[in-house]
Amino acid sequence: TIREIPKMWKDAPYSYEGEFFRMPERKVFPKPYGPLHPAMWVAGGSPGTFTEAGELGLGVFCFAIGRPKDMEPLLKAYKAAIVNATPVGDYVNDNIMGVTNMLCMEDRAKAFETASNMGMNYYSTLAYHWLDNVPRPKHLPEWPNKIPEPTPEQVEQLSAEGYIAVGDPDDCARSVQRWVDMGFDQLTFSPTTNTLPTEVVVGSMELFGREVIPTFDTEPEHSTTRYRREAAAKLAV
């Protein structure tokens, strides 16, 4: 189906007759807004997905599972494969996106303490329980046992090692730099997969936006927007 979805987005009527699904000729609505179709992504839950995503010209996103250095072979496999990609869509979306926890506060000690009580490991427990394609480290407990929540000291260590971006703006910037050094193209934070009050999340996002983002987000145009625009110009769309 991944090869058929971009065809459904075209203006022409679409039809398909295959082994696993079929569709009589139809006009598929709604159509994507703008030139060509949006950038295409796939979730990289299992190691082999990174190589396959690169071969298909898809962007890949993943959670921060395991030590950062353990993820480096996956990123290298993706970047090696995408060089010779045969895209399933109209263009290659050369992007690796990481998903992790972020809490940015002026008081770093308060940030570590707050993060230790926001239930981040309960969410990780559920992720391992739901997604059987994600390799679970042997030292982690199996459901219904839960991964213990970290202490403030452990949160500080996790941030220092780049697992999460927690602390004051300098702590968060150092953590983000580790992701950059590994080869990630962008980061997404999940502030609602925890028990933080809304005002804490908003304050954290505003502080991170003022103090950290300008250091890293220096391009005037997002890469996926550029890929789409350049492909449209090449195809005279």
mmCIF file of all heavy atoms in Angstrom, residues 103-112 114 166-172 200 203-208 210-211:
data_model
loop_
_atom_site.group_PDB
_atom_site.id
_atom_site.type_symbol
_atom_site.label_atom_id
_atom_site.label_comp_id
_atom_site.label_asym_id
_atom_site.label_seq_id
_atom_site.Cartn_x
_atom_site.Cartn_y
_atom_site.Cartn_z
ATOM 1 N N LEU A 103 12.037 18.808 29.153
ATOM 2 C CA LEU A 103 11.515 19.705 30.182
ATOM 3 C C LEU A 103 12.582 20.762 30.443
ATOM 4 O O LEU A 103 13.664 20.451 30.945
ATOM 5 C CB LEU A 103 11.195 18.947 31.470
ATOM 6 C CG LEU A 103 10.633 19.796 32.617
ATOM 7 C CD1 LEU A 103 9.323 20.460 32.208
ATOM 8 C CD2 LEU A 103 10.445 18.962 33.870
ATOM 9 N N CYS A 104 12.292 21.984 30.077
ATOM 10 C CA CYS A 104 13.256 23.079 30.192
ATOM 11 C C CYS A 104 12.749 24.082 31.222
ATOM 12 O O CYS A 104 11.659 24.645 31.083
ATOM 13 C CB CYS A 104 13.426 23.749 28.831
ATOM 14 S SG CYS A 104 14.774 24.945 28.736
ATOM 15 N N MET A 105 13.555 24.315 32.278
ATOM 16 C CA MET A 105 13.182 25.233 33.351
ATOM 17 C C MET A 105 14.393 26.073 33.737
ATOM 18 O O MET A 105 15.542 25.646 33.551
ATOM 19 C CB MET A 105 12.643 24.468 34.566
ATOM 20 C CG MET A 105 11.496 23.521 34.245
ATOM 21 S SD MET A 105 10.918 22.539 35.661
ATOM 22 C CE MET A 105 9.897 23.753 36.501
ATOM 23 N N GLU A 106 14.169 27.236 34.253
ATOM 24 C CA GLU A 106 15.272 28.093 34.699
ATOM 25 C C GLU A 106 16.057 27.424 35.817
ATOM 26 O O GLU A 106 17.283 27.503 35.863
ATOM 27 C CB GLU A 106 14.731 29.441 35.167
ATOM 28 C CG GLU A 106 14.067 30.284 34.078
ATOM 29 C CD GLU A 106 15.077 30.948 33.153
ATOM 30 O OE1 GLU A 106 16.292 30.696 33.298
ATOM 31 O OE2 GLU A 106 14.634 31.696 32.262
ATOM 32 N N ASP A 107 15.358 26.769 36.734
ATOM 33 C CA ASP A 107 15.980 26.077 37.867
ATOM 34 C C ASP A 107 16.224 24.626 37.470
ATOM 35 O O ASP A 107 15.304 23.824 37.394
ATOM 36 C CB ASP A 107 15.052 26.165 39.083
ATOM 37 C CG ASP A 107 15.683 25.597 40.349
ATOM 38 O OD1 ASP A 107 16.587 24.741 40.250
ATOM 39 O OD2 ASP A 107 15.258 26.012 41.453
ATOM 40 N N ARG A 108 17.473 24.285 37.205
ATOM 41 C CA ARG A 108 17.771 22.939 36.703
ATOM 42 C C ARG A 108 17.458 21.857 37.731
ATOM 43 O O ARG A 108 16.969 20.779 37.381
ATOM 44 C CB ARG A 108 19.218 22.841 36.221
ATOM 45 C CG ARG A 108 20.274 22.994 37.284
ATOM 46 C CD ARG A 108 21.661 23.199 36.660
ATOM 47 N NE ARG A 108 22.051 22.125 35.772
ATOM 48 C CZ ARG A 108 22.781 21.072 36.159
ATOM 49 N NH1 ARG A 108 23.157 20.959 37.422
ATOM 50 N NH2 ARG A 108 23.126 20.148 35.287
ATOM 51 N N ALA A 109 17.711 22.142 39.013
ATOM 52 C CA ALA A 109 17.415 21.156 40.052
ATOM 53 C C ALA A 109 15.911 20.869 40.104
ATOM 54 O O ALA A 109 15.481 19.726 40.268
ATOM 55 C CB ALA A 109 17.917 21.639 41.401
ATOM 56 N N LYS A 110 15.114 21.923 39.960
ATOM 57 C CA LYS A 110 13.665 21.745 39.944
ATOM 58 C C LYS A 110 13.228 20.959 38.717
ATOM 59 O O LYS A 110 12.301 20.139 38.785
ATOM 60 C CB LYS A 110 12.967 23.103 39.974
ATOM 61 C CG LYS A 110 11.456 23.012 40.078
ATOM 62 C CD LYS A 110 10.825 24.389 40.179
ATOM 63 C CE LYS A 110 9.301 24.278 40.294
ATOM 64 N NZ LYS A 110 8.658 25.618 40.385
ATOM 65 N N ALA A 111 13.907 21.170 37.595
ATOM 66 C CA ALA A 111 13.579 20.432 36.375
ATOM 67 C C ALA A 111 13.830 18.939 36.559
ATOM 68 O O ALA A 111 13.008 18.100 36.170
ATOM 69 C CB ALA A 111 14.390 20.964 35.197
ATOM 70 N N PHE A 112 14.969 18.587 37.164
ATOM 71 C CA PHE A 112 15.279 17.179 37.385
ATOM 72 C C PHE A 112 14.273 16.546 38.342
ATOM 73 O O PHE A 112 13.822 15.410 38.124
ATOM 74 C CB PHE A 112 16.695 17.026 37.934
ATOM 75 C CG PHE A 112 17.768 17.547 37.022
ATOM 76 C CD1 PHE A 112 18.890 18.181 37.545
ATOM 77 C CD2 PHE A 112 17.668 17.399 35.648
ATOM 78 C CE1 PHE A 112 19.887 18.662 36.715
ATOM 79 C CE2 PHE A 112 18.659 17.883 34.799
ATOM 80 C CZ PHE A 112 19.768 18.513 35.340
ATOM 81 N N THR A 114 11.151 17.585 38.952
ATOM 82 C CA THR A 114 9.838 17.527 38.309
ATOM 83 C C THR A 114 9.764 16.383 37.306
ATOM 84 O O THR A 114 8.779 15.644 37.251
ATOM 85 C CB THR A 114 9.536 18.860 37.590
ATOM 86 O OG1 THR A 114 9.593 19.935 38.547
ATOM 87 C CG2 THR A 114 8.158 18.827 36.943
ATOM 88 N N VAL A 166 16.430 17.496 29.471
ATOM 89 C CA VAL A 166 15.841 17.984 30.712
ATOM 90 C C VAL A 166 16.875 18.796 31.473
ATOM 91 O O VAL A 166 18.049 18.442 31.537
ATOM 92 C CB VAL A 166 15.329 16.815 31.585
ATOM 93 C CG1 VAL A 166 14.851 17.330 32.940
ATOM 94 C CG2 VAL A 166 14.201 16.070 30.887
ATOM 95 N N GLY A 167 16.429 19.906 32.058
ATOM 96 C CA GLY A 167 17.303 20.764 32.850
ATOM 97 C C GLY A 167 17.071 22.216 32.492
ATOM 98 O O GLY A 167 15.984 22.599 32.049
ATOM 99 N N ASP A 168 18.097 23.034 32.671
ATOM 100 C CA ASP A 168 17.992 24.423 32.252
ATOM 101 C C ASP A 168 18.314 24.510 30.751
ATOM 102 O O ASP A 168 18.637 23.497 30.119
ATOM 103 C CB ASP A 168 18.898 25.320 33.103
ATOM 104 C CG ASP A 168 20.385 24.972 32.986
ATOM 105 O OD1 ASP A 168 20.777 24.342 31.978
ATOM 106 O OD2 ASP A 168 21.149 25.341 33.889
ATOM 107 N N PRO A 169 18.219 25.690 30.131
ATOM 108 C CA PRO A 169 18.479 25.780 28.688
ATOM 109 C C PRO A 169 19.839 25.236 28.262
ATOM 110 O O PRO A 169 19.952 24.633 27.181
ATOM 111 C CB PRO A 169 18.352 27.286 28.412
ATOM 112 C CG PRO A 169 17.351 27.756 29.421
ATOM 113 C CD PRO A 169 17.669 26.966 30.664
ATOM 114 N N ASP A 170 20.873 25.426 29.095
ATOM 115 C CA ASP A 170 22.192 24.897 28.737
ATOM 116 C C ASP A 170 22.199 23.376 28.729
ATOM 117 O O ASP A 170 22.813 22.749 27.854
ATOM 118 C CB ASP A 170 23.247 25.415 29.715
ATOM 119 C CG ASP A 170 23.543 26.898 29.535
ATOM 120 O OD1 ASP A 170 23.272 27.421 28.432
ATOM 121 O OD2 ASP A 170 24.021 27.536 30.492
ATOM 122 N N ASP A 171 21.530 22.772 29.725
ATOM 123 C CA ASP A 171 21.424 21.306 29.760
ATOM 124 C C ASP A 171 20.714 20.795 28.513
ATOM 125 O O ASP A 171 21.160 19.834 27.872
ATOM 126 C CB ASP A 171 20.639 20.851 31.001
ATOM 127 C CG ASP A 171 21.387 21.081 32.302
ATOM 128 O OD1 ASP A 171 22.539 20.638 32.396
ATOM 129 O OD2 ASP A 171 20.807 21.697 33.213
ATOM 130 N N CYS A 172 19.599 21.430 28.167
ATOM 131 C CA CYS A 172 18.818 21.001 27.008
ATOM 132 C C CYS A 172 19.609 21.158 25.717
ATOM 133 O O CYS A 172 19.540 20.302 24.829
ATOM 134 C CB CYS A 172 17.513 21.788 26.941
ATOM 135 S SG CYS A 172 16.346 21.399 28.276
ATOM 136 N N VAL A 200 3.061 24.039 33.215
ATOM 137 C CA VAL A 200 4.476 23.651 33.236
ATOM 138 C C VAL A 200 4.955 23.330 31.825
ATOM 139 O O VAL A 200 6.045 23.736 31.415
ATOM 140 C CB VAL A 200 4.694 22.443 34.165
ATOM 141 C CG1 VAL A 200 6.149 21.948 34.070
ATOM 142 C CG2 VAL A 200 4.363 22.804 35.603
ATOM 143 N N GLY A 203 5.250 26.659 29.847
ATOM 144 C CA GLY A 203 6.438 27.401 30.272
ATOM 145 C C GLY A 203 7.717 26.780 29.757
ATOM 146 O O GLY A 203 8.647 27.481 29.341
ATOM 147 N N SER A 204 7.780 25.456 29.770
ATOM 148 C CA SER A 204 8.950 24.743 29.274
ATOM 149 C C SER A 204 9.140 24.990 27.778
ATOM 150 O O SER A 204 10.254 25.269 27.319
ATOM 151 C CB SER A 204 8.783 23.243 29.542
ATOM 152 O OG SER A 204 9.773 22.489 28.889
ATOM 153 N N MET A 205 8.057 24.898 27.010
ATOM 154 C CA MET A 205 8.130 25.107 25.565
ATOM 155 C C MET A 205 8.558 26.544 25.231
ATOM 156 O O MET A 205 9.360 26.776 24.321
ATOM 157 C CB MET A 205 6.780 24.799 24.911
ATOM 158 C CG MET A 205 6.449 23.330 24.847
ATOM 159 S SD MET A 205 7.525 22.470 23.674
ATOM 160 C CE MET A 205 6.790 20.828 23.691
ATOM 161 N N GLU A 206 8.023 27.490 25.970
ATOM 162 C CA GLU A 206 8.369 28.892 25.700
ATOM 163 C C GLU A 206 9.840 29.158 26.000
ATOM 164 O O GLU A 206 10.526 29.833 25.219
ATOM 165 C CB GLU A 206 7.471 29.813 26.524
ATOM 166 C CG GLU A 206 6.019 29.820 26.050
ATOM 167 C CD GLU A 206 5.124 30.688 26.920
ATOM 168 O OE1 GLU A 206 5.533 31.016 28.065
ATOM 169 O OE2 GLU A 206 4.012 31.038 26.466
ATOM 170 N N LEU A 207 10.334 28.641 27.115
ATOM 171 C CA LEU A 207 11.739 28.837 27.474
ATOM 172 C C LEU A 207 12.653 28.139 26.470
ATOM 173 O O LEU A 207 13.656 28.712 26.023
ATOM 174 C CB LEU A 207 11.995 28.309 28.885
ATOM 175 C CG LEU A 207 13.427 28.461 29.416
ATOM 176 C CD1 LEU A 207 13.839 29.931 29.470
ATOM 177 C CD2 LEU A 207 13.547 27.821 30.805
ATOM 178 N N PHE A 208 12.299 26.913 26.097
ATOM 179 C CA PHE A 208 13.093 26.174 25.110
ATOM 180 C C PHE A 208 13.101 26.912 23.776
ATOM 181 O O PHE A 208 14.119 26.990 23.094
ATOM 182 C CB PHE A 208 12.509 24.770 24.938
ATOM 183 C CG PHE A 208 13.315 23.853 24.075
ATOM 184 C CD1 PHE A 208 14.339 23.093 24.611
ATOM 185 C CD2 PHE A 208 13.044 23.730 22.717
ATOM 186 C CE1 PHE A 208 15.081 22.231 23.809
ATOM 187 C CE2 PHE A 208 13.775 22.880 21.910
ATOM 188 C CZ PHE A 208 14.802 22.127 22.456
ATOM 189 N N ARG A 210 12.762 30.139 23.239
ATOM 190 C CA ARG A 210 13.560 31.371 23.303
ATOM 191 C C ARG A 210 15.048 31.098 23.385
ATOM 192 O O ARG A 210 15.851 31.764 22.725
ATOM 193 C CB ARG A 210 13.137 32.207 24.526
ATOM 194 C CG ARG A 210 11.778 32.848 24.447
ATOM 195 C CD ARG A 210 11.632 33.933 25.528
ATOM 196 N NE ARG A 210 11.974 33.448 26.866
ATOM 197 C CZ ARG A 210 11.092 32.903 27.717
ATOM 198 N NH1 ARG A 210 9.827 32.772 27.350
ATOM 199 N NH2 ARG A 210 11.468 32.499 28.912
ATOM 200 N N GLU A 211 15.439 30.134 24.203
ATOM 201 C CA GLU A 211 16.845 29.973 24.555
ATOM 202 C C GLU A 211 17.589 28.879 23.786
ATOM 203 O O GLU A 211 18.808 28.941 23.659
ATOM 204 C CB GLU A 211 16.963 29.675 26.065
ATOM 205 C CG GLU A 211 16.352 30.739 26.968
ATOM 206 C CD GLU A 211 17.087 32.061 26.887
ATOM 207 O OE1 GLU A 211 18.307 32.044 26.572
ATOM 208 O OE2 GLU A 211 16.470 33.111 27.159
#
